[in-house]
Amino acid sequence: MAKLSTEELLSAFKEMTIIELSEFVKEFEETFDVTAAAVAVAGPAGGAAAAEEEQTEFDVVLESAGDKKIAVIKEVRALTSLGLKEAKEVVDSAPKAVLEGATKEAAEKAKEALEAAGATVTVK
């Protein structure tokens, strides 16, 4: 059997109906003991690592207020423009997200400000 080039294979697939292509995929999976989903996931090497590098939105999570609760409440108010009662509720209900969907720079600034006030913070 002659070896087909990628272009020839694609040309052959283009001529197939959806049903024929579906049957081909099933036969391919049975013959090589793989699944099409596994092939798609295995796709480009390091796909998950690339997705992590491209993260553009970050959540700033207040883990605990620490000893200086009042200073942390003031920082939460400054970062979120919440009222005093709402900011206190956020601090009291830690761990709680203070900012969601923030840029990397904004998340880092918020983390630094909250940590300076005495809070324990994580950025996700």
Side-chain angles (χ1 to χ4, degrees), residues 14-31:
K14 286 179 184 177
E15 294 175 12
M16 298 174 100
T17 65
I18 298 295
I19 294 172
E20 292 171 331
L21 191 54
S22 174
E23 291 171 357
F24 170 78
V25 169
K26 287 178 187 173
E27 187 68 31
F28 183 89
E29 290 174 341
E30 290 173 11
T31 303

Side-chain angles (χ1 to χ4, degrees), residues 13-122:
F13 289 139
K14 286 179 184 177
E15 294 175 12
M16 298 174 100
T17 65
I18 298 295
I19 294 172
E20 292 171 331
L21 191 54
S22 174
E23 291 171 357
F24 170 78
V25 169
K26 287 178 187 173
E27 187 68 31
F28 183 89
E29 290 174 341
E30 290 173 11
T31 303
F32 295 104
D33 195 29
V34 295
T35 63
V39 173
V41 170
E52 283 185 30
E53 292 174 18
E54 296 174 7
Q55 183 178 359
T56 58
E57 293 184 351
F58 298 85
D59 295 341
V60 179
V61 180
L62 176 68
E63 298 296 333
S64 71
D67 296 335
K68 302 176 183 177
K69 187 174 176 182
I70 294 173
V72 174
I73 292 171
K74 287 181 181 179
E75 269 317 309
V76 169
R77 287 189 68 200
L79 291 169
T80 61
S81 68
L82 291 173
L84 180 60
K85 181 181 177 186
E86 292 83 6
K88 183 180 180 302
E89 288 173 359
V90 168
V91 172
D92 287 341
S93 63
K96 179 86 172 175
V98 176
L99 293 177
E100 294 179 335
T103 64
K104 184 173 183 176
E105 295 80 23
E108 288 300 321
K109 285 181 183 178
K111 180 180 178 186
E112 290 173 15
L114 287 166
E115 286 178 343
T120 304
V121 181
T122 58

